């Protein structure tokens, strides 16, 4: 449904904000006609917009992810949302794709920590995606201003400082999403539940009990899914995870469910909370949600029982990649092969992967790989990976590389210099249950097998660390010939 030009004023030039640690830059990135309504426009209630589709009445706010030591060293030079997964994708692609498949196409991505790679990916992947009129993925990088000299102090602080951007469109709800979770969800059902219940805030709760460390809090929910209390792990009134997820409160019909960190918040409500009621609050989960309940706002839970993975640790990242190999259509894993809900990412002009007598079983191979006479079992091999003769890769993740390094010599300032170890995996090497990050150089006859069964180890100076028994070869690391790890 189109909104008539008599109701709204059209304007052009949607901008993208970019910044580095010492400057930020405004750049006109699109030339699309947008719909604009001043922030003073009255009567922006749900009832006035019931006839509008989601792409005109809902905007998504996606967080790129902050610093997280549990994912180090994968987050040494990138944010959580930018971590590669399943050979061809980034973690944030799953969340952006959920939005597009749910017809929510006003998407803001807030980035700050190690954001260069994520900003580049989002701008290249979705700026020319063909979303069309009034549809965009806009990057809002952390910035400083005359009023705010510091960086974003938390999720609530980031939204508060960007409200002047979000208020440009006459949306009725904001959908707030972490950018590093792996799941498939139809947000249309979530929004419909939010509107039907006339809630001020709706929080997605996880029905199935898992062994996750739920950092997004727990909800006390009554028989009508009304949230009566919200607590974060570590608070004094927090009881054990086992009790909260499996028992009901004594003498009541309430139950405790973990939050997925996904929120639908009404436009008027978020402005009131951030600018009037809780002007010093910095975090959504620990401050804004409990504060909204205290203010008497109606907070509801929307239950989700599908696959959901908070990729917040090396072990979770490894499991998610191993599960990407499976093609079954069960709810126990993420479906990468889904015609109804495709996964979008950056379009690339890479040749098909070349394989010369390679033996590959139960694996995923990304675009543009060069695989010689090697054996690959139960592994994920990322784009532009070069694997030489007699290499064995088992139960591992090879992230790939940014460039092809085909020649044994490189030319610098008119002189040829011999490349001792090329990007990729050298002859007769063996890799088992490991993660090889981007642009790593693995020499000949190298054994990456965790020979001593070490659970945790820091050998960063030597180009690798061990997390949860998994060896991680650092980005751009060089592992010499005949090394045994």
């Amino acid at each position: 449904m189109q909104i008539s030009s008599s109701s709204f004023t059209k304007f052009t030039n949607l901008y993208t904000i970019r910044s580095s640690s010492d400057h930020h830059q405004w750049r006109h990135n699109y030339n699309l006609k947008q719909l604009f309504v001043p922030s003073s426009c009255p009567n922006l209630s749900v009832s006035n917009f019931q006839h509008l589709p989601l792409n005109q009445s809902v905007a998504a706010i996606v967080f790129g992810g902050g610093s997280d030591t549990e994912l180090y060293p994968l987050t040494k030079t990138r944010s959580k949302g930018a971590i590669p997964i399943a050979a061809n994708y980034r973690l944030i692609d799953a969340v952006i794709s959920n939005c597009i498949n749910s017809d929510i196409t006003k998407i803001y991505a807030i980035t700050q920590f190690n954001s260069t790679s994520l900003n580049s990916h989002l701008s290249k992947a979705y700026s020319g995606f063909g979303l069309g009129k009034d549809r965009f993925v806009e990057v809002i990088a952390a910035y400083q201003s005359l009023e705010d000299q510091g960086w974003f102090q938390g999720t609530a602080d980031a939204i508060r400082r960007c409200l002047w951007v979000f208020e440009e469109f006459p949306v009725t709800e904001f959908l707030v999403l972490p950018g590093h979770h792996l799941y498939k969800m139809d947000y249309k059902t979530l929004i419909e539940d939010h509107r039907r219940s006339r809630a001020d805030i709706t929080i997605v709760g996880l029905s199935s009990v898992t062994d996750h460390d739920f950092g997004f809090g727990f909800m006390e929910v009554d028989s009508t899914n009304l949230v009566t209390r919200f607590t974060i792990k570590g608070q004094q009134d927090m009881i054990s995870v086992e009790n909260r997820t499996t028992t009901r409160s004594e003498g009541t019909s309430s139950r405790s469910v973990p939050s997925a960190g996904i929120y639908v918040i009404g436009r008027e409500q978020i402005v009131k909370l951030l600018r009037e009621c809780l002007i010093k609050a910095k975090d959504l989960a620990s401050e804004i949600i409990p504060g909204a309940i205290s203010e008497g706002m109606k907070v509801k839970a929307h239950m989700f029982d599908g696959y959901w993975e908070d990729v917040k640790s090396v072990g979770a990242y490894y499991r998610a990649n191993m599960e990407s190999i499976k093609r079954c259509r069960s709810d126990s894993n993420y479906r990468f092969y889904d015609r109804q809900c495709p996964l979008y990412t950056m379009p690339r002009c890479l040749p098909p992967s070349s394989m010369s007598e390679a033996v590959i079983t139960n694996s995923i191979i990304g675009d543009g790989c060069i695989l010689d006479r090697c054996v690959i079992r139960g592994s994920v091999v990322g784009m532009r990976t070069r694997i030489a003769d007699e290499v064995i890769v088992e139960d591992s993740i090879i992230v790939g590389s940014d460039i092809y390094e085909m020649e044994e010599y490189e030319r610098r300032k008119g002189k040829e210099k011999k490349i001792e170890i090329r990007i990729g995996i050298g002859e007769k090497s063996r890799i088992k249950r490991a993660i090889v990050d981007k642009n790593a150089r693995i020499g000949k006859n190298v054994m990456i097998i965790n020979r001593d069964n070490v659970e945790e180890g820091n050998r960063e100076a030597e180009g690798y660390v061990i997390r949860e028994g998994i060896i991680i070869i650092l980005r751009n690391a060089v592992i010499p010939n005949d090394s045994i790890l």
Side-chain angles (χ1 to χ4, degrees), residues 198-258:
R198 298 187 177 275
D200 297 306
I201 300 174
T202 298
I203 307 172
V204 173
L206 301 171
S207 299
S208 56
V209 179
T210 68
D211 58 353
H212 289 289
D213 178 12
F214 296 102
F216 291 94
F218 283 81
M219 302 176 282
E220 287 285 350
V221 180
D222 68 12
S223 58
T224 66
N225 280 344
L226 181 70
V227 179
T228 58
R229 187 173 66 164
F230 189 91
T231 54
I232 298 293
K233 185 178 181 181
Q235 294 179 351
Q236 283 187 337
D237 59 345
M238 177 69 188
I239 62 176
S240 68
V241 172
E242 292 79 13
N243 288 339
R244 279 189 165 274
T245 55
T246 60
T247 66
R248 295 176 179 269
S249 300
E250 292 184 8
T252 70
S253 59
S254 66
R255 65 191 189 279
S256 295
V257 295

Side-chain angles (χ1 to χ4, degrees), residues 19 27-28 75 133 215 246 291 348 389 401:
S19 71
R27 184 168 66 87
H28 292 283
T75 53
K133 181 180 177 181
T246 60
R348 299 175 179 87
D389 289 339
S401 64

Side-chain angles (χ1 to χ4, degrees), residues 289-330:
I289 301 302
I293 296 174
S294 299
E295 290 289 331
M297 289 189 175
K298 187 177 183 180
V299 181
K300 297 280 286 188
H302 173 85
M303 304 312 297
F304 177 69
D305 59 359
Y307 174 88
W308 179 88
E309 180 72 63
D310 181 5
V311 185
K312 63 176 296 183
S313 67
V314 168
Y317 175 72
Y318 180 83
R319 287 194 304 271
N321 273 279
M322 293 298 102
E323 289 171 356
S324 72
I325 298 170
K326 304 174 184 177
R327 289 186 291 177
C328 59
R329 294 184 54 84
S330 83

Side-chain angles (χ1 to χ4, degrees), residues 94-150:
V95 179
I96 300 293
S97 298
N98 281 341
C99 291
I100 295 172
N101 293 328
S102 301
D103 201 27
I104 297 174
T105 50
K106 288 179 175 61
I107 305 168
Y108 299 94
I110 299 180
T111 66
Q112 177 167 285
F113 175 79
N114 269 346
S115 61
T116 302
S117 177
L118 182 60
N119 292 348
S120 175
H121 174 76
L122 289 171
S123 62
K124 292 177 182 178
Y126 300 102
S127 64
F129 198 73
L131 291 174
K133 181 180 177 181
D134 308 325
R135 305 181 177 192
F136 56 84
V137 177
E138 180 178 349
V139 176
I140 306 178
Y143 68 93
Q144 296 175 323
S145 65
L146 294 176
E147 296 80 11
D148 296 290
Q149 296 293 324

Side-chain angles (χ1 to χ4, degrees), residues 37-39 162-170 174 267 271 275:
V37 171
S39 58
C162 296
L163 278 175
W164 62 276
V165 180
F166 305 149
E167 289 178 323
E168 289 181 342
F169 292 91
F174 291 104
R267 176 195 180 104
V271 171
R275 288 182 174 168

Side-chain angles (χ1 to χ4, degrees), residues 339-407:
R339 182 177 179 181
Q340 302 301 320
C341 300
L343 183 59
Y344 301 100
T345 191
M346 184 192 307
R348 299 175 179 87
C349 299
L350 288 175
S353 291
S354 172
M355 305 174 193
S356 302
E357 299 184 51
V359 178
I360 303 171
T361 55
N362 298 325
S363 300
I364 290 178
I365 309 298
D367 298 334
C369 296
I370 300 174
L371 310 179
D372 293 333
R373 190 162 47 86
C374 58
V375 176
I376 302 173
R377 304 189 191 101
S379 298
V380 175
V381 179
M383 294 175 291
R384 303 185 189 89
T385 296
R386 180 191 64 84
I387 300 180
D389 289 339
E390 299 184 57
V391 170
I392 300 176
V393 179
E394 298 177 282
D395 305 324
S396 297
I397 304 165
I398 314 298
V399 174
S401 64
D402 291 318
I403 61 172
Y404 289 111
E405 199 172 56
M406 302 298 296
E407 304 298 330

